[in-house]
Amino acid sequence: MTPYQWNQGCFGWHLLADPKLSVIEEEVAPGAGEVLHIHHQAQQFFYVLSGVATIITASQDFHLKQGQGVAITPETPHQLKNNGTEVLRFLVISSPPTKNDRENICAGSN
């Protein structure tokens, strides 16, 4: 699998790219992350393989350790960050896939 870079210090590997389901393994360096954004169609499930993920939503902040996960429903603004000191590795499972279904809420890149 060839990795792709999606932000500074952030990489992903497509494990499954199906029209109805996407499974991606991602790696986020300490201090890195993504901007607040929304998916209008896709439901996502984030599952931490190693490190600690901070996922911020309007209603709650999630601090996920190895073996923990959280589902994010469509139309829920969210942002993932690595506020820890070690590399974060996680799976993000999306149904349907998020291609062409992402809207950044604040300035920045993904």
Side-chain angles (χ1 to χ4, degrees):
M1 287 176 282
T2 303
Y4 63 92
Q5 187 167 355
W6 56 267
N7 209 345
Q8 186 171 349
C10 304
F11 298 90
W13 297 263
H14 286 276
L15 305 179
L16 176 66
D18 182 86
K20 294 183 180 181
L21 181 68
S22 168
V23 179
I24 301 172
E25 182 174 347
E26 294 190 340
E27 178 179 288
V28 177
E34 60 184 348
V35 299
L36 185 66
H37 65 281
I38 192 168
H39 302 286
H40 299 287
Q41 303 296 319
Q43 176 170 335
Q44 294 186 295
F45 183 75
F46 294 85
Y47 181 81
V48 175
L49 300 172
S50 63
V52 178
T54 298
I55 298 179
I56 300 162
T57 69
S59 62
Q60 186 175 358
D61 290 357
F62 299 91
H63 303 283
L64 306 173
K65 300 176 187 174
Q66 181 178 5
Q68 296 180 320
V70 65
I72 304 294
T73 57
E75 301 293 343
T76 301
H78 60 284
Q79 178 179 22
L80 180 138
K81 292 183 175 184
N82 180 357
N83 293 328
T85 58
E86 64 181 85
V87 171
L88 166 64
R89 290 186 73 92
F90 63 97
L91 298 177
V92 58
I93 301 160
S94 306
S95 178
T98 59
K99 186 174 182 176
N100 301 319
D101 181 37
R102 178 187 170 113
E103 179 182 341
N104 287 349
I105 294 175
C106 60
S109 61
N110 69 340

